[in-house]
Amino acid sequence: MKALIKKFEDKAPEVVFEWNDRETEAKGWVVINSLRGGAAGGGTRMRPGLDKREVESLAKTMEVKFTVSGPAIGGAKSGIDFDPKDPRKEAVLKRWYKAVIPLLKNYYGTGGDMNVDEIEEVIPITEEYGLWHPQEGIVNGHFNPNERNKINKIGQLRTGVSKVVEDPEFTPDGQKQYTIADLITGYGVAEAVKHYYNLWGGELKGKRVIVQGWGNVASAAALYLAKDGVKLVGVIDREGGLLSEEGLGLQEVKTLFANKNGNQLNTENMLSFDEVNERIWDMPADIFIPAAGSRLVTPEQVQRMSKAGVEVISCGANVPFKDQAIFYGPTYELADSTMAVIPDFIANAGMARVFAYLMGQDVALTDEAVFTDVSKTILEGLEQTRKHCKDNKNLASVSLKQAIGKLL
């Protein structure tokens, strides 16, 4: 398995596009690992200190993800090295997308990612430059549609991604409206946990969960798990967190979800980051959701969670373990050998699957149809793993071997 991964990691990307902003210090890259199936897809992220290596690793991760979510295309990613809190962010994004429009028109599809919002930033900015939708390049490059089919697929993408979720089965309570893009990835991360217990055995209701982060993915995953009767015992976020020995139920999680400040936890009883970080890894828990960012979870944290009883990790973030390897370093291997790790390309495939679903012909655009399709896709991915992984150890390595085997 490791030799297979190394072969995939070492293969040079097919396309690397580099950009230097003329008005700021911002730098950016589009890395297209391959144009498998005539196109490639992957979102746009922004953070200070980002480099080409990170973008390349994420592009390869996306290629693996598409083996689960579909369509059968290559992996790509856009990354911009710039502070998203800088007031010049919007202008930087506009110049970035103007530079990459030719790729987005022909064979590359993008969306939101870390610190870049699909609905508020990606779609309106790319529309200014004549793009019908940020996934238009995939529609053109992979499907090569006639005019009618192109209009159908693009119309479904425009409607579906921005659709406000109205079905009470899938939407939080409260006055604020949420789109499918806001909720679907976290929903998939939670569904992965539910499917894991159904396939490998165990009762989900009454389990205890720790969540790393409180952005769209982390908070939505906690919300949907709470709907299934899981207790939230800890959250560790960038500025602080909370701990609850008894565990928070659905109404309390709904309040935390509704009160978040942007992508951050916002609660009166919030503890300092240092205090939470000292205690949370020893909290008795069954489930861990790493969804704050890539390469944050350390070997020590893995060991402490394992001793505290954590059974399953559902990866909300791409490559959450603190390793240099793109896919499977020593920290990931340690977690995989002691707990059930549902890998990112299965657990957080929700948004990629929504794009693939909406590129179908004349699909249903109801909340139930979209959310059910995501759940079914994640279940199918785990069912394939279950055939070759009877116990709950080395689940991620088995999944990786199967996925990369399809690409080499």
Side-chain angles (χ1 to χ4, degrees), residues 275-400:
E275 182 177 356
V276 175
N277 191 45
E278 182 179 342
R279 296 171 54 194
I280 196 168
W281 312 111
D282 302 311
M283 290 279 291
D286 307 287
I287 303 159
F288 175 52
I289 307 292
S294 301
R295 306 184 191 284
L296 295 177
V297 182
T298 68
E300 180 194 359
Q301 291 163 356
V302 169
Q303 290 170 337
R304 289 168 66 181
M305 284 190 289
S306 180
K307 288 181 182 178
V310 170
E311 300 169 335
V312 58
I313 299 175
S314 187
C315 297
N318 288 319
V319 197
F321 301 102
K322 197 167 185 177
D323 291 320
Q324 290 187 340
I326 291 176
F327 287 109
Y328 197 77
T331 309
Y332 202 153
E333 185 172 9
L334 174 65
D336 198 28
S337 65
T338 54
M339 294 171 274
V341 180
I342 305 172
D344 48 19
F345 62 90
I346 295 178
N348 72 15
M351 197 65 233
R353 179 57 204 171
V354 170
F355 286 139
Y357 174 80
L358 295 173
M359 291 180 202
Q361 196 64 30
D362 299 317
V363 298
L365 294 179
T366 65
D367 297 335
E368 182 179 9
V370 174
F371 279 76
T372 300
D373 178 76
V374 166
S375 179
K376 180 182 175 183
T377 300
I378 290 171
L379 173 59
E380 289 171 351
L382 286 172
E383 284 176 335
Q384 290 302 310
T385 300
R386 184 70 177 87
K387 291 177 182 178
H388 304 279
C389 186
K390 299 306 181 185
D391 62 20
N392 63 353
K393 302 298 188 295
N394 302 308
L395 190 155
S397 63
V398 170
S399 301
L400 266 171

Side-chain angles (χ1 to χ4, degrees), residues 11 25 33-34 37 81 90 119 128 170 208 231 237 239 248 252 269 281 288 303 319 371 394-395 397:
K11 190 173 182 179
E25 67 277 16
N33 190 59
S34 82
D81 176 11
E90 182 180 1
I119 307 300
E128 286 184 23
F170 304 107
R208 297 159 60 90
K231 296 288 187 179
D237 202 15
E239 303 296 332
L248 305 181
E252 293 163 303
N269 58 341
W281 312 111
F288 175 52
Q303 290 170 337
V319 197
F371 279 76
N394 302 308
L395 190 155
S397 63

Side-chain angles (χ1 to χ4, degrees), residues 12-234:
E14 192 168 336
V15 179
V16 178
F17 174 94
E18 184 167 319
W19 172 78
N20 292 280
D21 188 24
R22 67 178 183 273
E23 296 185 25
T24 71
E25 67 277 16
K27 294 185 67 174
W29 298 267
V30 177
V31 175
I32 294 174
N33 190 59
S34 82
L35 286 168
R36 173 179 174 246
T44 303
R45 69 168 46 190
M46 177 186 285
R47 72 169 186 84
L50 180 146
D51 59 17
K52 184 172 71 173
R53 165 74 175 175
E54 180 176 334
V55 184
E56 180 180 337
S57 69
L58 291 166
K60 289 183 180 293
T61 300
M62 284 303 304
E63 187 140 334
V64 173
K65 185 176 291 185
F66 287 129
T67 66
V68 174
S69 70
I73 59 172
K77 206 74 174 179
S78 289
I80 304 169
D81 176 11
F82 192 68
D83 186 351
K85 296 180 180 178
D86 192 300
R88 301 171 293 174
K89 177 189 179 185
E90 182 180 1
V92 167
L93 282 173
K94 285 184 175 182
R95 290 189 293 274
W96 163 259
Y97 283 119
K98 186 175 183 179
V100 300
I101 277 292
L103 283 67
L104 291 169
K105 272 284 188 185
N106 292 288
Y107 53 78
Y108 169 46
T110 195
D113 197 358
M114 183 186 294
N115 301 316
V116 179
D117 189 86
E118 169 96 14
I119 307 300
E120 301 295 328
E121 294 171 318
V122 182
I123 290 176
I125 292 173
T126 54
E127 279 186 348
E128 286 184 23
Y129 299 121
L131 204 67
W132 289 6
H133 189 273
Q135 297 286 307
E136 185 177 339
I138 297 175
V139 173
N140 289 331
H142 179 62
F143 294 97
N144 193 26
N146 59 35
E147 192 67 14
R148 179 194 175 279
N149 287 342
K150 179 177 177 179
I151 291 170
N152 175 263
K153 293 177 190 300
I154 295 291
Q156 290 173 171
L157 284 162
R158 289 171 66 95
T159 301
V161 173
S162 304
K163 183 187 181 303
V164 172
V165 179
E166 299 169 311
D167 189 326
E169 181 73 21
F170 304 107
T171 188
D173 296 337
Q175 299 299 312
K176 185 176 178 181
Q177 294 183 323
Y178 297 92
T179 66
I180 285 174
D182 292 329
L183 300 173
I184 199 68
T185 303
Y187 171 79
V189 171
E191 286 294 285
V193 175
K194 182 167 75 174
H195 294 322
Y196 163 78
Y197 281 110
N198 285 335
L199 290 169
W200 275 269
E203 177 67 36
L204 179 59
K205 186 177 181 180
K207 297 290 187 184
R208 297 159 60 90
V209 63
I210 291 170
V211 177
Q212 185 181 46
W214 200 248
N216 281 352
V217 177
S219 60
L223 177 72
Y224 290 115
L225 284 172
K227 282 175 175 268
D228 288 326
V230 175
K231 296 288 187 179
L232 178 65
V233 297

